[in-house]
Amino acid sequence: MATFNYEIIINAPIQKVWDLLWGEDTYGEWTQFFSAGSQFKTDWEVGGETYFMDSEGNGMFSTIRSVNEPEEVIFSHLGMVRNGEVDTATINQLEWSGAEEKYFLREIGPNTTELRAEVHATGEMEGMMNRGFNEGFKVLKNLAEK
């Protein structure tokens, strides 16, 4: 498992960046580079259920390890969702189960926020991760700075 890090400075208040990052209307905009029609559903509970899905309803089943709005959220990926079924037991899922996706927001000033993401993924996913986060964070920055 490799660790990938991404960072951007956004000229907007920390709460606005958080809200755009996880907002129902904006999540799909910045995550379009991972998969068109991306969706995010969570109960926002530590140990609860979180889903990162594509437009077909397939994706990742995860849980929140910790959350401190608007400064941090850490997801732990537990399995995949395919055709409406959660898979946490096949060998492919067991190999990367527990991989984390971490988001850290730091207020640099009243209207400036540092956003960092740290993601654990297999090495063959590096290109997708780089494109998704680098391009996605640019979109998020544009949304926040409007």
Side-chain angles (χ1 to χ4, degrees), residues 15-91:
Q15 187 66 53
K16 181 177 183 180
V17 175
W18 176 275
D19 292 344
L20 290 168
L21 193 63
W22 306 117
E24 188 175 325
D25 296 331
T26 52
Y27 177 81
E29 288 186 54
W30 77 267
T31 58
Q32 66 183 301
F33 302 99
F34 294 104
S35 177
S38 291
Q39 305 165 40
F40 169 76
K41 296 177 183 166
T42 186
D43 56 15
W44 285 110
E45 297 293 326
V46 172
E49 294 183 354
T50 298
Y51 298 88
F52 297 92
M53 310 295 276
D54 65 17
S55 60
E56 305 293 314
N58 298 312
M60 294 185 298
F61 171 64
S62 307
T63 192
I64 294 176
R65 279 189 144 357
S66 71
V67 61
N68 181 21
E69 181 182 342
E71 297 165 345
E72 169 191 302
V73 62
I74 299 174
F75 300 99
S76 181
H77 300 307
L78 304 176
M80 299 297 291
V81 179
R82 291 185 189 90
N83 301 318
E85 298 292 322
V86 175
D87 173 11
T88 59
T90 63
I91 192 69

